[in-house]
Amino acid sequence: MRLVKLIANLGYGSRKDIQKAIKNGWVTDRDGTALKADSPTAHEDILFDDEPLDPAPGMVLLLNKPLGYTCSTKDQGRLVYDLLPDRFRMRKPVLSTIGRLDKETSGALLFTDDGTFLHKVISPKSEVPKVYEVTLDRPMTGTEAEIFSSGEMMLEGETKPLKPAQLDVIGKSRARVILNEGRYHQVRRMFAAVGNHVTELARIQIGGLTLGGLAEGDWRLLDESGKASIFDVQTSE
């Protein structure tokens, strides 16, 4: 791929912008030699304004989503994309969230520009578990774990029972829930169905991938090991 198209597709600017950057000597190799539009240089050896280029298509990143942000590119108010570099919105292929967290849910949120990878993560065949920590309005009754794990629980307005879900009590009104599917507002609706109300909800793990100390509002790129850990069905205690 020509240098201009490569850098433009990474979101650094229009092709005209990149042509100007090359002309001004802002695009170099790691030795500081200015590159030309037809310079045959490996992606990892290209610097833009003295910084390495963002990863090529196939990028996957993990964000620790704060409360109050919407998983959208078009809604009003604060968007999860506001927490990422502006150029990430301009990437081609587009950078998309892998699933969603609602505005009032925090925690682990994945992004990728690899459609095949995205569909692998969300496919029911992959059975990637998601782990949530929940704070409730009232103490639990003690029957919730059995109901959630039964495989017979029905949500209002639906005709298919939920897959068995694991509930671990970590306090009178706090629990950890592990899901193997992702229906609309599922955790909130499950507790509503047993007469309780979720006041705080955070996703802390996707497959074997944890936040690993990632601060709220921060993000990190995943290497091949990180990507593979998503499909590790063992969830941490």
Side-chain angles (χ1 to χ4, degrees):
M1 185 183 298
R2 282 176 57 84
L3 188 60
V4 172
K5 183 178 180 182
L6 167 66
I7 300 175
N9 283 358
L10 294 177
Y12 286 88
S14 66
R15 294 194 186 188
K16 185 176 180 180
D17 293 333
I18 304 308
Q19 288 170 346
K20 180 179 178 181
I22 291 173
K23 183 178 180 180
N24 289 340
W26 300 341
V27 181
T28 68
D29 63 17
R30 289 188 176 273
D31 294 326
T33 302
L35 300 177
K36 298 184 181 300
D38 57 355
S39 296
T41 308
H43 185 114
E44 61 271 17
D45 293 328
I46 300 170
L47 303 182
F48 187 93
D49 201 15
D50 296 326
E51 295 290 336
L53 290 182
D54 294 329
M59 180 172 76
V60 181
L61 64 87
L62 172 67
L63 170 73
N64 187 351
K65 176 191 172 295
L67 296 176
Y69 285 81
T70 303
C71 294
S72 171
T73 57
K74 299 179 180 179
D75 289 352
Q76 298 295 317
R78 294 182 294 178
L79 309 178
V80 291
Y81 289 91
D82 297 338
L83 300 167
L84 306 176
D86 289 342
R87 62 182 180 274
F88 282 10
R89 299 194 197 202
M90 307 303 294
R91 285 178 66 101
K92 297 179 183 179
V94 65
L95 185 68
S96 301
T97 61
I98 302 179
R100 292 186 169 216
L101 293 177
D102 66 54
K103 189 175 182 180
E104 299 309 320
T105 301
S106 62
L109 179 66
L110 292 169
F111 294 74
T112 188
D113 56 6
D114 183 340
T116 300
F117 185 86
L118 185 155
H119 288 294
K120 182 180 179 181
V121 175
I122 66 175
S123 171
K125 294 181 180 179
S126 296
E127 294 189 338
V128 174
K130 286 88 173 178
V131 184
Y132 297 83
E133 286 192 349
V134 187
T135 300
L136 300 163
D137 184 50
R138 294 180 295 281
M140 288 173 282
T141 64
T143 62
E144 292 86 357
E146 181 179 355
I147 294 171
F148 286 8
S149 65
S150 67
E152 300 176 355
M153 187 177 189
M154 298 285 291
L155 295 178
E156 183 177 356
E158 298 195 7
T159 58
K160 183 178 179 180
L162 297 175
K163 291 182 178 181
Q166 179 179 332
L167 181 144
D168 299 318
V169 175
I170 55 179
K172 290 182 179 180
S173 58
R174 295 188 66 235
R176 183 175 292 115
V177 178
I178 304 176
L179 303 181
N180 286 288
E181 59 185 332
R183 303 196 196 183
Y184 179 73
H185 287 176
Q186 183 172 340
V187 175
R188 297 181 188 278
R189 294 168 68 200
M190 289 171 70
F191 280 103
V194 294
N196 214 324
H197 173 71
V198 173
T199 58
E200 296 179 22
L201 182 61
R203 184 161 67 191
I204 62 170
Q205 189 170 338
I206 301 172
L209 179 69
T210 66
L211 289 167
L214 187 66
E216 188 174 89
D218 286 351
W219 59 274
R220 70 169 181 263
L221 293 171
L222 298 186
D223 58 16
E224 292 305 316
S225 175
K227 296 177 190 179
S229 71
I230 294 168
F231 303 101
D232 178 359
V233 297
Q234 297 298 320
T235 53
S236 64
E237 297 297 329

